Amino acid sequence: MGLIERSKEVVDRVNKNIEILKIDRKIERIEEISSLLSDAYSKNDIQTASNLLIEQTNLKREVDKWINLRKEAEDILNISKEADNMNDESLLKEIEKSILLIERKLDEYEVEKFFDKDIDNSNCFLNIHPGAGGVESCDWASMLYRMYVRFLTRKGFSFEVVDFLPDDVAGIKDVTIYVKGEYAFGYLKSETGIHRLVRISPFDASKRRHTSFASVHVIPELKDDTKIVIDPSELKIETFRASGKGGQHVNKTESAVRITHIPTGIVVSIQSERSQLQNKEIALKILKSKLYELREKEIKERQEEVSGEKKNISWGNQIRSYILHPYNSVKDHRTGVETSNTSAVLDGEIDEFISSYIKWSYLNKVK
């Protein structure tokens, strides 16, 4: 396919998405909100004004994204037409690069159509915990940690390690990352589950093949208006000295906090901040999200019981396998997506797995 044909195809795809997403109607809504804001301010209705501002900001972000992409696509189409009669190899290569960049953006934006606007557009907490297997699994947890840090950096998400517990020998015993950004939970929810690694162990003098497991758990940060009430009398709050990074002050004072929700047995430990108050605040935020997740799970299970649905029985909830020996392969067991480029995946190039899961999950939900 020539550059002009490819450019036309990209323009058509962009325009089709703009029509499906009703971008014109959203532009009208942005203007409508401006007048509603004036009315809310005149009545000193701060809550309504705040909600309208959030809605307007989100709409503007979506509208600007698609309008800018359409302009980029149309510009490239015009340049392609002008360059068609020119024998300039360097210009043609630049046009091809530009088309590829627009196609990648388009692929990414199209995935966002499958998101639930409320919960998927939340910040989130990503936790990695090694399975049984000692140092092997702890090292595997550190490899996953590195993979996600590289993915988040490349995607432009801001993130902060709110809890980090290193293993005594190598790797990580537990780590929790707070991720902020547009559709942070929407993108990362696909990673929840058991991740399996098969490789020649670097810790085995006999160079035998080992299988390691680590669990990844992603939960959304709840908005302030989410109705999850925590009774203080149902909490057991303990403080202890932080064992991870943080400097002398952290290690000399009992700044770390462990909160146990007695009715459910959920435990949250945070030790990354210097202040005990800050650690307690983060721990309560994570606990609230976990209780929300538990409530949603119970509702779903009751619905399945009423409708007679049965869950598929799968081995250990394993979602993805990373094989480094005797061959190279990373395979997602839910969507069937597979690649032999294991080094790229472990360097954070997991976009294909994530986008495939998002589409697969949406289609299964629709069914």
Side-chain angles (χ1 to χ4, degrees), residues 131-292:
V135 68
E136 291 286 347
S137 293
C138 289
D139 187 56
W140 172 221
S142 71
M143 290 169 67
L144 286 172
Y145 169 68
R146 176 181 177 274
M147 180 182 82
Y148 289 123
V149 164
R150 295 205 165 197
F151 170 75
L152 295 172
T153 302
R154 189 166 49 78
K155 290 288 284 185
F157 287 115
S158 61
F159 59 92
E160 175 189 359
V161 178
V162 296
D163 193 39
F164 188 94
L165 185 60
D167 182 58
D168 296 334
V169 179
I172 298 170
K173 283 185 178 178
D174 196 76
V175 62
T176 300
I177 308 170
Y178 175 50
V179 185
K180 294 176 68 177
E182 188 179 9
Y183 295 116
F185 178 66
Y187 278 108
L188 289 167
K189 65 183 180 182
S190 64
E191 300 308 291
T192 291
I194 306 299
H195 294 246
R196 170 178 171 252
L197 172 70
V198 179
R199 64 171 175 173
I200 298 294
S201 169
F203 306 99
D204 188 333
S206 301
K207 300 298 180 185
R208 289 172 294 186
R209 188 171 65 178
H210 284 249
T211 300
S212 306
F213 296 90
S215 68
V216 175
H217 193 194
V218 181
I219 55 173
E221 179 186 29
L222 298 185
K223 294 177 174 62
D224 292 334
D225 59 353
T226 306
K227 293 179 181 179
I228 293 290
V229 179
I230 300 177
D231 185 345
S233 66
E234 296 178 341
L235 300 179
K236 179 184 177 184
I237 302 177
E238 304 166 276
T239 58
F240 56 98
R241 290 188 182 184
S243 57
K245 302 173 184 178
Q248 294 178 342
H249 175 73
V250 172
N251 292 318
K252 286 182 179 179
T253 62
E254 292 196 342
S255 59
V257 174
R258 181 186 298 112
I259 298 180
T260 304
H261 186 247
I262 297 168
T264 61
I266 294 173
V267 180
V268 179
S269 296
I270 296 294
Q271 57 178 322
S272 63
E273 302 295 336
R274 290 175 178 268
S275 161
Q276 185 184 110
L277 188 63
Q278 286 176 303
N279 283 328
K280 183 180 176 182
E281 187 179 331
I282 294 170
L284 284 171
K285 191 177 285 190
I286 295 174
L287 176 60
K288 187 177 179 182
S289 293
K290 287 192 172 186
L291 289 173
Y292 170 82

Side-chain angles (χ1 to χ4, degrees), residues 91-105:
L91 177 59
L92 294 174
K93 285 180 180 177
E94 286 302 313
I95 292 171
E96 187 166 11
K97 282 181 185 177
S98 298
I99 293 172
L100 277 170
L101 285 172
I102 294 172
E103 285 174 336
R104 285 173 189 167
K105 277 188 191 177

